[in-house]
């Protein structure tokens, strides 16, 4: 057999092998597709949805839609009724618009009514949130990090105290706090609102658990070997790793301080130091007093203005908040 015939035979064999390989690949793809279809049928029968291959559930979609409507209904009610005058508010359907669109007029009236005291309440609330919630977040970060990364006598006792304090409702401590602040002469002052807000047992516990998972001990040991102080290690290495937990803790403390309703009536008597929650409640009760003027349209508009900063904060920090809540959920 000549060299040319041997070459032609080799080319024919290669083509045959390529054809056989393509046929085998097609059969393999068919088997994979059949296996995936069988797995989907099995999961559907068992009621289990694979994370990498989720299936639709009509029941869950309906339940989520109902829950979404339930959560959004108060906000829609506020938006619609904030556009009404007082006459339209009392004479039209609650989920229908009034005869005139008075949103801007209501906003202007809210900030000018009673000498513009709503603006004072807004500034007070921002003060309590920035100083109180900000301080609570900072203390929770430092305390949780220290409890997670340092070993010292009494650490378990501290853990028991934190868990116990979380189980005690805040309203149960309102009267003892009032008696203590009355002895110190701090009632009817901003400190009566700021100092109690600085303590967040849940935030401390959250940062403790998050610091355990988010900051590797090996990384801290490497920084110490390189000569970094504990303070520098915390601010330059640990703090960036704690960002999701910090945002989550900050959101919880901000919402708790912003919506604080039980402590201000006990601690404060001067309306100039009221937060928004108590001030708007005072406006709401105004119509029930003898000779009082009904201003439900201003109460609704003020409530809408009050929740807008919280909505903006959640939307801007949503990704950090979600990652903070999910931290530690997956075992490595």
């Amino acid at each position: 057999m000549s060299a040319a015939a041997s070459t032609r035979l080799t080319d024919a064999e290669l083509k045959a092998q390529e054809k056989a390989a393509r046929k085998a690949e097609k059969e393999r793809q068919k088997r994979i597709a059949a296996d995936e279809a069988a797995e989907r049928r099995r999961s559907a029968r068992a009621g289990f949805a694979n994370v990498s291959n989720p299936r639709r559930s009509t029941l869950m979609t309906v339940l989520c839609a109902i829950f979404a409507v339930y959560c959004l209904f108060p906000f829609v009610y506020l938006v619609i009724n904030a556009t009404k005058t007082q006459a339209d508010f009392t004479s039209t359907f609650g989920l229908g618009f009034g005869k005139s669109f008075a949103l801007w007029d209501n906003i202007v009236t809210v900030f000018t009514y009673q000498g513009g005291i709503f603006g004072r309440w807004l500034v007070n609330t921002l003060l309590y949130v920035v100083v109180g919630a900000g301080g609570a977040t900072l203390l929770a970060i430092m305390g949780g990090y220290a409890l997670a990364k340092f070993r010292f006598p009494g650490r378990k006792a501290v853990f028991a105290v934190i868990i116990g304090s979380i189980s005690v409702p805040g309203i149960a401590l309102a009267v003892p706090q009032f008696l203590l602040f009355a002895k110190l002469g701090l009632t009817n002052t901003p400190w009566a609102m700021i100092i109690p807000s600085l303590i967040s047992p849940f935030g401390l516990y959250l940062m403790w658990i998050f610091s355990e998972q988010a900051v590797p001990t090996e990384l801290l040991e490497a920084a110490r070997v390189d000569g970094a102080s504990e303070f520098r290690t915390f601010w330059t290495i640990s703090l960036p790793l704690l960002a999701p937990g910090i945002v989550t803790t900050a959101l919880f403390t901000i919402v708790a301080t912003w919506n604080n309703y039980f402590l201000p009536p006990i601690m404060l008597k001067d309306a100039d130091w009221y937060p928004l929650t108590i001030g708007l409640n005072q406006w709401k009760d105004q119509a029930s007093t003898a000779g009082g003027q009904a201003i439900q349209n201003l109460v609704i508009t003020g409530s809408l203005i009050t929740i807008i900063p919280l909505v903006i904060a959640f939307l801007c920090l949503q990704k950090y908040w979600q990652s903070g809540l999910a931290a530690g959920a997956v075992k490595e």
Side-chain angles (χ1 to χ4, degrees), residues 51-191:
V51 176
S52 61
N53 185 23
R55 64 185 180 89
R56 295 180 180 178
S57 173
T58 304
L59 177 61
M60 291 302 300
T61 302
V62 172
L63 291 177
C64 289
I66 294 174
F67 185 72
V69 171
Y70 172 79
C71 293
L72 293 176
F73 180 80
F75 182 75
V76 174
Y77 178 85
L78 285 178
V79 172
I80 293 176
N81 287 275
T83 64
K84 298 179 181 179
T85 62
Q86 179 61 30
D88 289 340
F89 181 82
T90 56
S91 61
T92 59
F93 178 59
L95 293 178
F97 289 93
K99 299 177 182 178
S100 59
F101 189 83
L103 177 60
W104 178 250
D105 294 336
N106 288 339
I107 294 175
V108 173
T109 306
V110 163
F111 282 97
T112 58
Y113 187 71
Q114 290 184 346
I117 196 170
F118 181 86
R120 177 63 184 268
W121 294 339
L122 179 60
V123 172
N124 293 342
T125 304
L126 292 175
L127 173 65
Y128 301 151
V129 167
V130 171
V131 181
T137 303
L138 180 61
L139 293 176
I141 295 168
M142 295 189 295
Y145 173 80
L147 290 169
K149 294 304 175 182
F150 295 95
R151 300 296 182 265
F152 54 89
R155 183 170 175 268
K156 292 184 179 180
V158 174
F159 178 79
V161 171
I162 294 175
I163 296 298
S165 60
I166 292 176
S167 63
V168 177
I171 187 61
L173 302 176
V175 174
Q177 286 176 351
F178 170 76
L179 297 176
L180 176 62
F181 278 80
K183 288 290 185 180
L184 297 175
L186 296 177
T187 56
N188 202 33
T189 65
W191 295 111

Side-chain angles (χ1 to χ4, degrees), residues 89-325:
F89 181 82
T90 56
S91 61
T92 59
F93 178 59
L95 293 178
F97 289 93
K99 299 177 182 178
S100 59
F101 189 83
L103 177 60
W104 178 250
D105 294 336
N106 288 339
I107 294 175
V108 173
T109 306
V110 163
F111 282 97
T112 58
Y113 187 71
Q114 290 184 346
I117 196 170
F118 181 86
R120 177 63 184 268
W121 294 339
L122 179 60
V123 172
N124 293 342
T125 304
L126 292 175
L127 173 65
Y128 301 151
V129 167
V130 171
V131 181
T137 303
L138 180 61
L139 293 176
I141 295 168
M142 295 189 295
Y145 173 80
L147 290 169
K149 294 304 175 182
F150 295 95
R151 300 296 182 265
F152 54 89
R155 183 170 175 268
K156 292 184 179 180
V158 174
F159 178 79
V161 171
I162 294 175
I163 296 298
S165 60
I166 292 176
S167 63
V168 177
I171 187 61
L173 302 176
V175 174
Q177 286 176 351
F178 170 76
L179 297 176
L180 176 62
F181 278 80
K183 288 290 185 180
L184 297 175
L186 296 177
T187 56
N188 202 33
T189 65
W191 295 111
M193 293 296 302
I194 293 174
I195 294 177
S197 300
L198 293 174
I199 307 302
S200 177
F202 179 75
L204 178 60
Y205 174 75
L206 182 63
M207 289 306 305
W208 184 349
I209 300 302
F210 190 86
S211 299
E212 285 276 8
Q213 302 294 328
V215 182
T217 304
E218 295 80 3
L219 189 62
L220 301 181
E221 292 176 352
R224 291 164 184 159
V225 169
D226 290 340
S229 63
E230 294 295 340
F231 184 81
R232 182 180 179 182
T233 301
F234 172 72
W235 284 103
T236 60
I237 297 177
S238 301
L239 205 61
L241 298 175
L242 297 176
I246 293 172
V247 173
T248 304
T249 303
L251 284 175
F252 278 116
T253 55
I254 288 172
V255 171
T257 305
W258 192 280
N259 295 332
N260 195 349
Y261 184 79
F262 295 104
L263 190 62
I266 298 175
M267 293 292 189
L268 304 175
K269 292 185 294 184
D270 189 356
D272 288 339
W273 291 115
Y274 281 172
L276 287 170
T277 51
I278 305 304
L280 290 174
N281 184 68
Q282 186 184 59
W283 280 4
K284 179 183 70 66
D285 295 337
Q286 179 176 316
S288 61
T289 60
Q293 179 185 2
I295 52 171
Q296 285 92 342
N297 62 322
L298 301 186
V299 175
I300 292 294
T301 307
S303 300
L304 179 62
I305 297 173
T306 300
I307 68 173
I308 287 177
L310 292 180
V311 172
I312 295 174
F314 269 89
L315 292 178
C316 294
L317 304 175
Q318 182 181 16
K319 60 179 181 179
Y320 298 103
W321 182 55
Q322 290 176 340
S323 61
L325 289 178

